[in-house]
Amino acid sequence: MAKDAYQKTLRSLQIELVKLQRHMIENDYKILVLLEGRDAAGKDGTIKRIVEHLSPRETRVVALGKPSDRERSTWYFQRYVPHLPAADEFVLFNRSWYNRAGVERVMGFCTDAEYEEFMATVLDFERMLVGSGVRLIKYYLDISKAEQKERLAERRKDPLKQWKVSLIDAVALKKWKAYSKARDEMLKRTHNPLTPWTIVCSNDKKAARLNLIRDLLSRLPYDGKQPRLLKADPKIVFPYSESCLRDGKIAP
Amino acid sequence: MAKDAYQKTLRSLQIELVKLQRHMIENDYKILVLLEGRDAAGKDGTIKRIVEHLSPRETRVVALGKPSDRERSTWYFQRYVPHLPAADEFVLFNRSWYNRAGVERVMGFCTDAEYEEFMATVLDFERMLVGSGVRLIKYYLDISKAEQKERLAERRKDPLKQWKVSLIDAVALKKWKAYSKARDEMLKRTHNPLTPWTIVCSNDKKAARLNLIRDLLSRLPYDGKQPRLLKADPKIVFPYSESCLRDGKIAP
Amino acid sequence: MAKDAYQKTLRSLQIELVKLQRHMIENDYKILVLLEGRDAAGKDGTIKRIVEHLSPRETRVVALGKPSDRERSTWYFQRYVPHLPAADEFVLFNRSWYNRAGVERVMGFCTDAEYEEFMATVLDFERMLVGSGVRLIKYYLDISKAEQKERLAERRKDPLKQWKVSLIDAVALKKWKAYSKARDEMLKRTHNPLTPWTIVCSNDKKAARLNLIRDLLSRLPYDGKQPRLLKADPKIVFPYSESCLRDGKIAP
Amino acid sequence: MAKDAYQKTLRSLQIELVKLQRHMIENDYKILVLLEGRDAAGKDGTIKRIVEHLSPRETRVVALGKPSDRERSTWYFQRYVPHLPAADEFVLFNRSWYNRAGVERVMGFCTDAEYEEFMATVLDFERMLVGSGVRLIKYYLDISKAEQKERLAERRKDPLKQWKVSLIDAVALKKWKAYSKARDEMLKRTHNPLTPWTIVCSNDKKAARLNLIRDLLSRLPYDGKQPRLLKADPKIVFPYSESCLRDGKIAP
């Protein structure tokens, strides 16, 4: 996609996001967007474009560090709860409680029992949030192994991105299969009618960003909506279904 | 009960509580005790005796004020969650999330829909806490109308207790029946095998305190336990069952 | 002092404290009381009697644990600041920022430079609080070596107080002289007209409690004050002056 | 300045910022940068460029909303203190405690006594922070009346910036002179050798951003510094002195 066309499209979608925010604030919405995906899948970059022109006071990006000892001893969801949106707030989680089903599962940071307890309760938890009026939207950004490899290599070379290089990245590729397995199990067991997963094929960064924003906007009501701007490409953004794991729509 | 005997018994139970706390800290227990009951049922006094000789650093009494505007717009349980116990912590809630099924219900501080949402989710919430290792124990302190009347009258006269007299108290007696009805519905719908309600007949303050502490200690394992001290009087402390509402074991 | 007389006097002073609190809340006072003193000097017990009948919502006792790593890297006063009183609040610090001039100094938990920085800035800090309307009152509870020895021995035997026995206590007696020296330097350098130190001779627990409360009440205006109840014994409670260090009014 | 040259220069400075951050984290620096200036002076845009490629976990932008009732009753600096940097943290305040000397002063949100108390204590407060190891750097972004007028007009037209338009903006122009007077008094009374003010002439946005970043980098030691990149234009960034108020270097 040409840079100019991308910039122009992005700008028009950001104007829609500003309209959405105004509508949200007038109507006391609470919005919570979760972005999951492997390392280098494009979560940071997508979030940056979403929030770029939104009101900082009503928008929050939450990327929790690793839990303290005290936090590790509490109810798993406890450290996420203070960051949930109140009225008028648009909150984006850059990685979320699904960490337990991804990084923690693969790296052995939680026990099998903790993992099973998480899987057994996460949908109850989400159901309560939805019941309290939170509009909860879950995206999984999916990339191929080749694309991840290239992005991680670039990152190591780019003087502006070197801080992103962590020890966990180093094993992202090595543990590719374990991450795929953990992802598949997470999607299978936590996709549900109330809080479904939406997959975003992210091998093309720009297309992924634009289509995720289109999808997000199309799910929420707001005044002055321009539906013709919001037609997402169904090859880029689509609802999860088990067939995706077989037909190659999700990276094997 | 004679004052001396009471003091002596209380002291021996408080020694057991100190043993429990040492055991808790060595074994990373998380204990959460909820005390519910009408105004003047004896919650404050009971809690004071429980915590009197416990280590302040690992013991917390939580009595939340009324929610701020921002809090009212969030998930109902959100403001309680930061106060849940971490490892080694013994937390007592002086009134709890069941406020929604009691004061809020009777005084009209919540909508019917909020009440039903609470009732529909509270056991899921408690199940998650128990699943995360919290030992959750729920007491309902029950008093008769005559006893409440007398205590509220005393309170108004006692120069040390006048700050306790609030506008809500003023209607406690007037709304006696509405409170009974709300209590009955709460007990019926939220008593369950995992987080059952224990009733404490509190017309006799001293007996209520001693027996509640006995019951609490008997439910928890700890080294050096003196079981003979922990025999609670089954007329004072007993598990809730629907028959209690009919046979007068709970004040009509 | 006979137990009955003590109980009666304490009760009459607690009624005065309730009057003070009512007055405070009506007039938006902010009160901050610091209690310092060696281990077993009676800080816990005194605070317990002060707050016993006060409204829990407007009264806070603050006893900070040891700082986390993150806290150790911040401005020294930072972790105390969130606990300062807002309007209507009566806050008691059980040990305070003067920890740096006492335990930390003696036990080597801070560097000489950190100690000097503290000494050089603490009065500026207190001046700012007073300037913002906080009524700041500082008590030093003083006991003799023989009394401390006896209390620590009792504590080890009393099954209700064993949790109080810590590793730091163990050296309290051994380091008696170092603590005396640290205390003397603290008093000399931080006694000043705006936030003076008041010494409470605490060898007699009951007398210390009653006289400290009398002194506290006499310093603050409130409606319905009974001045005849508030005459503190000048041998028990008295303003610090350098002569105290020489004439034996403070334990050598 | 041509867009390409700007982008290239900005990128090279952002690489320096990444080096600074790595050095900071290795050496446990605490950095606090305050940005003050009239509405539309370019604070948001400058901060965005500084943090764009920094590690989100160690970088924080703080833009406090208006104080709650409880906060208004506390020590003025209290609500800023929790946001001060710990070791390894780079914190930017978008408006700071100097609000009291600017917006609050002009709009009448504080009393004269509160203003004078602030002026009398702010340097003591800053001295304590510096004494605790915080590297505190204060910038005042200055624009002309014509430039402010144009930017506010643009903002009202730009669909991406309309949320920025607030009631306070509406009076920014009307109260131009009052704001000038408040600024002059603030600079005169709070410029000092330990925490001096640096003025940034911000009529040219791009030049202001680049030169502020150059100045910031030149003040801090870090490995691999490229001094030739850091030569700030002394017509754009310069230390405050009283003569600036007379010779037109600061907008009248």
Side-chain angles (χ1 to χ4, degrees):
Chain A
M1 186 177 199
K3 199 172 170 181
D4 270 14
Y6 166 70
Q7 291 288 7
K8 216 179 131 188
T9 309
L10 179 60
R11 191 184 147 85
S12 67
L13 291 172
Q14 287 175 330
I15 292 174
E16 295 298 296
L17 284 164
V18 168
K19 291 184 201 168
L20 167 64
Q21 188 165 51
R22 194 180 311 126
H23 186 88
M24 267 185 69
I25 293 174
E26 279 161 12
N27 295 278
D28 291 345
Y29 282 20
K30 296 176 275 190
I31 298 180
L32 177 57
V33 176
L34 311 189
L35 277 90
E36 287 291 338
R38 295 175 199 259
D39 205 49
K43 300 181 292 297
D44 289 11
T46 303
I47 289 173
K48 197 175 279 187
R49 272 68 184 187
I50 294 173
V51 304
E52 191 166 8
H53 295 286
L54 298 181
S55 161
R57 210 173 293 175
E58 281 91 6
T59 312
R60 261 183 298 133
V61 178
V62 176
L64 296 190
K66 65 173 197 200
S68 70
D69 279 4
R70 186 179 184 281
E71 286 170 338
R72 276 203 53 87
S73 83
T74 62
W75 176 42
Y76 176 67
F77 294 94
Q78 190 157 336
R79 68 189 197 111
Y80 292 98
V81 168
H83 303 284
L84 295 172
D88 306 347
E89 292 179 356
F90 189 163
V91 177
L92 297 110
F93 276 19
N94 186 342
R95 297 190 183 278
S96 68
W97 42 79
Y98 284 104
N99 242 14
R100 177 134 291 176
V103 176
E104 291 195 20
R105 176 67 168 163
V106 171
M107 302 296 289
F109 297 159
C110 67
T111 65
D112 284 357
E114 286 170 332
Y115 173 77
E116 288 301 336
E117 174 69 21
F118 169 77
M119 285 299 204
T121 56
V122 61
L123 297 187
D124 285 341
F125 179 66
E126 294 181 357
R127 190 156 35 85
M128 280 192 276
L129 302 190
V130 173
S132 81
V134 172
R135 287 152 201 264
L136 174 57
I137 301 174
K138 309 192 296 194
Y139 289 107
Y140 184 85
L141 277 60
D142 195 57
I143 49 170
S144 69
K145 192 170 180 184
E147 183 66 23
Q148 187 185 44
K149 192 173 178 183
E150 202 180 310
R151 290 189 191 176
L152 291 176
E154 258 169 46
R155 199 179 266 190
R156 253 164 277 147
K157 277 183 292 179
D158 186 342
L160 287 175
K161 290 191 180 157
Q162 286 173 1
W163 63 264
K164 283 199 176 190
V165 179
S166 76
L167 289 175
I168 289 177
D169 301 7
V171 295
L173 277 163
K174 245 193 249 173
K175 301 227 177 205
W176 177 269
K177 277 202 178 156
Y179 273 110
S180 295
K181 203 179 148 213
R183 173 202 61 195
D184 294 354
E185 196 163 345
M186 175 185 86
L187 293 171
K188 265 186 210 164
R189 292 175 67 176
T190 65
H191 182 72
N192 71 101
L194 198 67
T195 56
W197 280 103
T198 299
I199 309 298
V200 185
C201 174
S202 302
N203 287 327
D204 176 338
K205 274 185 192 185
K206 290 175 188 164
R209 288 172 196 160
L210 298 179
N211 282 288
L212 187 152
I213 299 175
R214 282 185 187 118
D215 181 81
L216 177 62
L217 288 163
S218 67
R219 288 170 184 276
L220 296 160
Y222 60 92
D223 290 341
K225 195 191 265 206
Q226 303 283 347
R228 64 176 176 78
L229 294 175
L230 307 185
K231 278 174 197 132
D233 179 343
K235 283 196 299 294
I236 305 280
V237 179
F238 47 88
Y240 166 79
S241 73
E242 284 208 30
S243 63
C244 300
L245 301 177
R246 290 185 303 268
D247 63 12
K249 289 185 84 176
I250 291 180
Chain B
M1 184 174 199
K3 198 173 171 182
D4 270 12
Y6 167 68
Q7 291 290 6
K8 215 180 130 188
T9 309
L10 180 60
R11 192 183 145 85
S12 66
L13 292 172
Q14 286 175 332
I15 292 174
E16 295 297 296
L17 284 164
V18 169
K19 291 183 201 168
L20 167 64
Q21 188 165 51
R22 194 179 313 126
H23 186 87
M24 267 184 69
I25 294 174
E26 279 161 13
N27 294 279
D28 290 346
Y29 282 20
K30 296 176 275 188
I31 298 180
L32 177 57
V33 176
L34 311 188
L35 278 89
E36 286 291 337
R38 295 175 199 261
D39 206 48
K43 299 180 293 297
D44 289 11
T46 303
I47 289 174
K48 196 175 279 186
R49 271 67 183 187
I50 294 174
V51 304
E52 193 167 7
H53 294 286
L54 298 182
S55 161
R57 210 173 292 173
E58 281 91 7
T59 313
R60 260 183 299 133
V61 178
V62 176
L64 296 189
K66 66 172 197 206
S68 70
D69 279 3
R70 188 180 183 279
E71 286 171 338
R72 274 203 54 86
S73 83
T74 62
W75 177 42
Y76 176 66
F77 294 95
Q78 190 158 336
R79 70 190 197 110
Y80 293 97
V81 168
H83 302 285
L84 295 172
D88 307 346
E89 293 180 356
F90 189 164
V91 176
L92 296 110
F93 276 19
N94 186 342
R95 296 190 184 278
S96 67
W97 42 79
Y98 284 104
N99 243 15
R100 178 135 290 176
V103 175
E104 290 194 22
R105 175 70 168 162
V106 171
M107 302 296 290
F109 296 159
C110 67
T111 65
D112 285 356
E114 286 170 332
Y115 173 78
E116 288 301 337
E117 173 67 22
F118 169 76
M119 284 299 204
T121 57
V122 61
L123 297 187
D124 284 341
F125 179 65
E126 294 181 357
R127 189 156 35 85
M128 280 192 276
L129 302 191
V130 173
S132 81
V134 172
R135 286 151 202 264
L136 174 56
I137 302 174
K138 308 191 296 194
Y139 290 106
Y140 184 84
L141 276 61
D142 195 57
I143 48 171
S144 71
K145 192 171 182 184
E147 182 67 23
Q148 186 186 43
K149 192 173 179 182
E150 202 181 309
R151 291 189 191 176
L152 290 176
E154 257 169 46
R155 199 179 266 189
R156 253 163 276 143
K157 277 183 292 182
D158 185 344
L160 286 175
K161 291 193 180 156
Q162 286 172 0
W163 63 263
K164 283 199 177 190
V165 180
S166 76
L167 288 175
I168 289 178
D169 302 5
V171 294
L173 277 163
K174 243 192 251 174
K175 301 229 177 203
W176 176 268
K177 276 205 179 155
Y179 272 109
S180 296
K181 200 178 150 216
R183 174 202 61 193
D184 295 354
E185 195 163 346
M186 176 186 84
L187 293 171
K188 264 186 212 164
R189 292 175 66 177
T190 65
H191 182 71
N192 71 101
L194 198 67
T195 56
W197 280 103
T198 298
I199 309 299
V200 185
C201 175
S202 302
N203 288 327
D204 176 337
K205 272 186 193 186
K206 290 176 189 163
R209 288 173 196 158
L210 297 179
N211 281 288
L212 186 151
I213 298 175
R214 282 184 187 120
D215 181 79
L216 177 61
L217 287 163
S218 67
R219 288 169 184 277
L220 294 161
Y222 61 91
D223 291 338
K225 195 190 265 202
Q226 303 283 347
R228 64 178 176 77
L229 295 174
L230 308 184
K231 279 174 196 135
D233 180 343
K235 286 196 296 295
I236 304 283
V237 179
F238 47 88
Y240 167 79
S241 73
E242 285 210 29
S243 63
C244 301
L245 300 176
R246 292 185 303 267
D247 63 15
K249 288 185 83 176
I250 291 180
Chain C
M1 185 176 198
K3 199 172 169 181
D4 269 14
Y6 166 70
Q7 291 289 6
K8 216 180 132 189
T9 309
L10 179 60
R11 191 182 146 86
S12 66
L13 292 172
Q14 286 175 332
I15 292 173
E16 295 297 296
L17 284 165
V18 169
K19 291 184 199 167
L20 167 64
Q21 188 165 50
R22 194 180 312 125
H23 186 88
M24 266 185 69
I25 293 174
E26 279 162 12
N27 294 279
D28 290 345
Y29 282 19
K30 294 175 277 188
I31 298 181
L32 177 57
V33 176
L34 311 189
L35 277 91
E36 286 292 337
R38 296 175 199 260
D39 205 48
K43 300 180 292 296
D44 288 12
T46 303
I47 290 173
K48 197 174 278 187
R49 273 68 184 188
I50 294 173
V51 305
E52 191 166 7
H53 294 286
L54 298 181
S55 161
R57 210 174 292 174
E58 282 90 6
T59 313
R60 258 182 301 133
V61 178
V62 177
L64 295 190
K66 65 173 199 204
S68 70
D69 280 3
R70 188 180 183 280
E71 286 170 337
R72 275 203 53 87
S73 83
T74 62
W75 177 41
Y76 176 67
F77 293 95
Q78 189 157 337
R79 69 189 197 110
Y80 293 98
V81 168
H83 303 284
L84 294 172
D88 307 346
E89 292 179 356
F90 189 163
V91 177
L92 297 109
F93 275 19
N94 186 342
R95 297 190 184 279
S96 68
W97 43 79
Y98 284 104
N99 243 14
R100 176 135 292 176
V103 176
E104 291 195 20
R105 177 67 167 161
V106 171
M107 302 296 290
F109 297 159
C110 67
T111 65
D112 286 356
E114 285 171 332
Y115 173 77
E116 289 302 336
E117 174 68 21
F118 170 76
M119 284 299 204
T121 56
V122 61
L123 297 187
D124 285 342
F125 179 66
E126 293 181 357
R127 189 155 36 84
M128 280 191 275
L129 302 190
V130 173
S132 81
V134 173
R135 287 151 201 264
L136 174 57
I137 302 175
K138 308 192 295 194
Y139 289 107
Y140 184 84
L141 277 61
D142 195 58
I143 49 170
S144 69
K145 192 171 180 183
E147 183 67 21
Q148 188 186 42
K149 192 173 177 182
E150 202 181 309
R151 290 188 191 176
L152 290 176
E154 257 169 47
R155 198 179 267 188
R156 253 165 275 143
K157 276 182 293 179
D158 185 344
L160 286 176
K161 289 189 181 161
Q162 285 173 0
W163 62 264
K164 283 199 176 190
V165 180
S166 75
L167 289 175
I168 288 177
D169 301 7
V171 294
L173 278 162
K174 246 194 249 175
K175 301 229 177 204
W176 177 269
K177 277 203 178 154
Y179 273 109
S180 294
K181 202 179 148 214
R183 174 202 61 195
D184 295 354
E185 195 163 346
M186 176 185 84
L187 293 171
K188 265 186 210 164
R189 292 174 68 176
T190 65
H191 182 72
N192 71 102
L194 198 67
T195 56
W197 281 103
T198 299
I199 309 297
V200 184
C201 175
S202 302
N203 288 327
D204 176 338
K205 274 185 191 186
K206 290 176 187 163
R209 288 173 195 159
L210 297 179
N211 282 288
L212 187 152
I213 298 175
R214 283 185 186 118
D215 180 81
L216 177 61
L217 287 163
S218 67
R219 289 168 184 277
L220 296 161
Y222 61 92
D223 291 339
K225 195 190 263 204
Q226 302 284 347
R228 65 173 176 80
L229 295 175
L230 307 185
K231 278 171 198 136
D233 179 343
K235 284 196 298 295
I236 304 280
V237 178
F238 47 88
Y240 167 79
S241 74
E242 284 209 28
S243 62
C244 301
L245 301 178
R246 290 186 302 268
D247 62 14
K249 289 185 82 176
I250 291 180
Chain D
M1 185 175 198
K3 199 174 168 180
D4 269 13
Y6 166 69
Q7 291 289 7
K8 216 181 131 187
T9 308
L10 179 60
R11 191 184 146 86
S12 65
L13 292 171
Q14 287 175 331
I15 292 174
E16 294 298 296
L17 284 164
V18 169
K19 291 184 201 168
L20 167 65
Q21 188 164 51
R22 194 180 314 127
H23 186 87
M24 267 186 69
I25 294 174
E26 279 162 13
N27 294 279
D28 290 345
Y29 282 19
K30 295 176 276 187
I31 298 180
L32 177 58
V33 175
L34 311 187
L35 278 90
E36 287 290 337
R38 298 174 198 261
D39 205 48
K43 299 180 293 296
D44 288 11
T46 303
I47 289 173
K48 197 175 279 187
R49 271 67 184 188
I50 294 174
V51 305
E52 191 166 8
H53 295 286
L54 297 181
S55 161
R57 209 174 292 173
E58 282 90 7
T59 312
R60 259 182 300 132
V61 177
V62 176
L64 296 189
K66 67 173 196 199
S68 70
D69 279 4
R70 187 179 184 281
E71 286 170 338
R72 275 203 53 87
S73 82
T74 63
W75 177 42
Y76 175 67
F77 294 94
Q78 189 158 337
R79 70 191 197 109
Y80 292 98
V81 169
H83 303 284
L84 295 172
D88 307 346
E89 293 180 356
F90 188 163
V91 176
L92 296 111
F93 276 19
N94 185 343
R95 296 188 184 277
S96 68
W97 42 79
Y98 284 104
N99 242 16
R100 177 135 290 176
V103 176
E104 292 195 20
R105 176 69 167 161
V106 170
M107 301 297 289
F109 297 158
C110 66
T111 66
D112 285 356
E114 285 171 332
Y115 173 78
E116 288 302 336
E117 174 68 21
F118 169 77
M119 284 299 204
T121 56
V122 61
L123 296 188
D124 285 340
F125 179 65
E126 293 181 357
R127 190 156 35 84
M128 279 191 276
L129 303 190
V130 173
S132 80
V134 172
R135 287 150 201 265
L136 174 57
I137 302 175
K138 309 192 296 195
Y139 289 107
Y140 184 84
L141 276 61
D142 195 57
I143 49 170
S144 70
K145 191 170 182 184
E147 182 67 22
Q148 187 186 43
K149 192 173 178 181
E150 202 181 309
R151 291 188 190 177
L152 291 175
E154 256 169 47
R155 199 180 265 190
R156 252 164 278 144
K157 277 182 293 179
D158 185 344
L160 286 175
K161 291 192 180 158
Q162 285 173 0
W163 61 264
K164 284 200 177 190
V165 180
S166 76
L167 289 175
I168 289 177
D169 302 5
V171 294
L173 277 163
K174 246 193 249 174
K175 301 229 176 203
W176 177 268
K177 278 205 177 155
Y179 273 110
S180 295
K181 202 179 149 215
R183 174 202 60 194
D184 294 354
E185 196 163 346
M186 175 185 85
L187 293 172
K188 264 187 212 164
R189 291 175 67 175
T190 64
H191 182 72
N192 72 101
L194 198 67
T195 56
W197 280 103
T198 298
I199 309 298
V200 185
C201 175
S202 302
N203 287 328
D204 176 338
K205 274 185 192 184
K206 289 175 188 164
R209 288 172 195 160
L210 297 179
N211 282 288
L212 187 152
I213 298 176
R214 283 185 186 119
D215 181 81
L216 176 61
L217 288 163
S218 67
R219 288 168 184 277
L220 295 161
Y222 60 92
D223 291 338
K225 196 190 263 203
Q226 303 284 348
R228 64 176 177 79
L229 294 175
L230 308 184
K231 279 172 198 136
D233 180 343
K235 285 197 298 294
I236 305 280
V237 179
F238 46 88
Y240 167 78
S241 73
E242 285 210 28
S243 63
C244 301
L245 301 177
R246 292 185 303 269
D247 63 14
K249 288 185 84 175
I250 290 180

